[in-house]
Amino acid sequence: MSNFLKAFSSILIILCLSLISGCTLQESHETDQEKTFTNYFDVLTDSEGNLVLPLNTTVQLTMTDEKILDEATVLAEAELFEWHKLADSHHQYLDAQGNELHNVAYINQHPKETIPLDPRLFAMLSTALDLSQQSEGLFHPLLGSLSSLWESKFAPFPTENTDPDPAVIQGLVGCLPAAADLNAVIQLDQKSQTIRFDPGVCEGSLQISLGAMAKGYILDQLADMLKQFNTPFLLDAGSSSLIAWSPSASPKAWNIGVRDPSGSSAMLYAFSLTAGAVSTSADDQHYFLLSEGDQQLRRHHILNPHTGYSENWLRSVTLCASDQAGILDVLSTVLYNIEDPAQRQAMIHRFEEMAQLKIDYAWCEPAESGLKLTLSEGMEQRRLTSAAWPDSLEVEIQRGE
């Protein structure tokens, strides 16, 4: 059994605003009517003996029953490891027979070969293609090489750096196919459950990466399995993607706090969640500062596939729905790359119709006073009024959405 760590607490979860990059959980030990217990999942090992964080972050499971938690952790950790290995684009693993696992990293290293896939990875890739088309390419599953170009420059704290070579960025962006043409590059055969990755003349410039959807998508699979224990749980990956659930006969409210990305205050707002999924993207955990004359521009890890650079229209986006954390993860990234608020709302409605899902939202953007927070009416109804707004925060509630 894995040597997972254990903690006991009554928790107000503070969402660390990031995606696939690591992020530190903040805990507030507040008085609660029910004790909770938390297990942190172990690391796994790739085929070369390297230790790997599952989903490249801290994953934890919190439940109200300690004995059930221990049993659930063993099953969930095993399932998590299997999913991570399949979706990993950076590490190789061996399958049960001692052969190279056909995961995303293997596909990237074997272009123009027809490769049989585990049905779970096949379904995940199929979903990625659908969501890319739904987002008009603002979520792009071939962003791996571009992300790697920027990755080494980012840090979880303020540091100055410079952009990569603009000509290299332009070349990588030029290789990205339109969302409507992705099937020509990522060729999936439903009948044979195989893939043929054909980057054509852009071989070496295109790499499959599922980072913008992997955490939420995999949490969805784990949550479905955990419901069999009929015990309230909170499943948290890096405090940026999480799923809460409790039986209807014994509902438990989890308090979720969204951190101030400017650092001016500890928390922007908090809301309550009994059952559902939450995804948050922000620019304050994986970034660097670029000096431009007297000003500093923030470069962060949420890249716009259309330009190859990050945008500064928003500081954070938080989405909440009854389920489907994978879709929320993708959408929170997509919204970051849309400047016009009306177009953001239109994209949310498009995803709602596609997924048959009501999505509550809140986004935070720069303002003269510091920050402006825009919330849907549904998110405002979830909000904990006991947590006061920061004094300098402008707030707009979108009624009738």
Side-chain angles (χ1 to χ4, degrees):
M1 186 166 114
S2 301
N3 295 318
F4 46 78
L5 302 176
K6 184 176 294 182
F8 157 72
S9 62
S10 298
I11 300 173
L12 170 69
I13 297 295
I14 305 294
L15 283 177
C16 297
L17 309 177
S18 76
L19 278 172
I20 199 72
S21 59
C23 167
T24 304
L25 173 69
Q26 300 178 15
E27 297 182 350
S28 175
H29 298 271
E30 295 193 340
T31 301
D32 197 356
Q33 295 180 350
E34 191 171 19
K35 294 179 180 179
T36 60
F37 305 86
T38 300
N39 282 344
Y40 295 79
F41 293 130
D42 206 349
V43 296
L44 63 156
T45 306
D46 69 9
S47 59
E48 296 181 353
N50 300 307
L51 297 179
V52 181
L53 275 172
L55 306 185
N56 299 332
T57 192
T58 301
V59 183
Q60 60 194 61
L61 175 62
T62 300
M63 283 180 146
T64 55
D65 187 297
E66 187 174 15
K67 290 183 179 179
I68 293 177
L69 172 65
D70 288 345
E71 180 183 354
T73 301
V74 173
L75 295 179
E77 186 176 82
E79 186 79 2
L80 171 62
F81 284 7
E82 288 191 23
W83 275 103
H84 174 94
K85 290 175 182 179
L86 290 171
D88 197 333
S89 59
H90 298 291
H91 301 89
Q92 292 179 298
Y93 304 89
L94 300 180
D95 62 20
Q97 289 72 44
N99 302 314
E100 282 187 276
L101 182 69
H102 291 178
N103 67 351
V104 173
Y106 184 92
I107 296 168
N108 285 332
Q109 293 167 9
H110 294 80
K112 301 180 181 178
E113 295 183 16
T114 299
I115 301 169
L117 294 181
D118 183 299
R120 294 170 295 181
L121 180 56
F122 187 95
M124 193 176 186
L125 288 165
S126 296
T127 299
L129 296 188
D130 292 342
L131 292 177
S132 185
Q133 293 186 21
Q134 193 73 24
S135 70
E136 299 178 349
L138 289 175
F139 160 67
H140 207 298
L142 289 174
L143 218 59
S145 294
L146 184 63
S147 296
S148 295
L149 181 67
W150 287 91
E151 180 65 29
S152 64
K153 294 180 174 289
F154 298 133
F157 48 82
T159 183
E160 290 195 12
N161 214 320
T162 58
D163 287 343
D165 186 339
V168 176
I169 295 173
Q170 184 177 5
L172 292 176
V173 171
C175 275
L176 291 172
D181 299 326
L182 274 171
N183 288 324
V185 180
I186 302 176
Q187 301 170 14
L188 297 172
D189 187 290
Q190 179 69 42
K191 184 176 181 180
S192 63
Q193 296 282 288
T194 59
I195 185 173
R196 186 174 187 270
F197 175 45
D198 188 357
V201 297
C202 287
E203 186 172 329
S205 296
L206 293 179
Q207 296 279 293
I208 300 173
S209 173
L210 300 175
M213 69 173 278
K215 282 196 297 186
Y217 187 96
I218 293 172
L219 289 191
D220 285 332
Q221 318 311 312
L222 300 183
D224 285 344
M225 183 195 68
L226 288 168
K227 291 174 185 178
Q228 67 181 291
F229 293 98
N230 203 39
T231 301
F233 68 79
L234 182 73
L235 187 60
D236 178 359
S239 296
S240 61
S241 303
L242 59 86
I243 295 177
W245 183 84
S246 58
S248 57
S250 54
K252 174 177 175 53
W254 303 90
N255 294 335
I256 312 297
V258 179
R259 193 181 62 221
D260 183 348
S262 72
S264 300
S265 59
M267 187 170 61
L268 283 180
Y269 62 99
F271 60 95
S272 179
L273 184 67
T274 301
V278 180
S279 176
T280 296
S281 297
D283 65 3
D284 66 333
Q285 285 289 294
H286 210 49
Y287 70 102
F288 69 86
L289 300 174
L290 176 70
S291 294
E292 288 194 343
D294 305 348
Q295 300 181 339
Q296 285 188 317
L297 185 65
R298 183 179 295 256
R299 297 293 202 202
H300 54 83
H301 69 293
I302 307 171
L303 301 177
N304 187 337
H306 295 171
T307 66
Y309 294 84
S310 58
E311 307 292 356
N312 297 111
W313 300 314
L314 296 174
R315 295 300 313 271
S316 71
V317 175
T318 298
L319 303 175
C320 183
S322 59
D323 59 10
Q324 302 192 55
I327 285 177
L328 298 186
D329 272 5
V330 168
L331 182 57
S332 66
T333 300
V334 168
L335 296 178
Y336 232 89
N337 292 318
I338 299 177
E339 180 178 12
D340 181 60
Q343 292 182 11
R344 281 185 220 131
Q345 291 177 339
M347 184 64 73
I348 291 171
H349 294 326
R350 176 184 293 188
F351 271 67
E352 286 180 323
E353 291 179 6
M354 177 268 298
Q356 293 297 291
L357 193 67
K358 178 68 175 72
I359 300 174
D360 295 327
Y361 63 86
W363 64 65
C364 182
E365 58 193 310
E368 289 186 7
S369 61
L371 293 175
K372 177 184 176 181
L373 181 66
T374 301
L375 301 92
S376 66
E377 189 171 16
M379 187 67 89
E380 165 61 12
Q381 290 170 352
R382 294 178 182 270
R383 187 173 68 87
L384 296 174
T385 56
S386 58
W389 307 113
D391 292 337
S392 62
L393 184 67
E394 295 181 34
V395 178
E396 179 181 345
I397 300 170
Q398 301 287 323
R399 304 290 184 185
E401 282 294 313

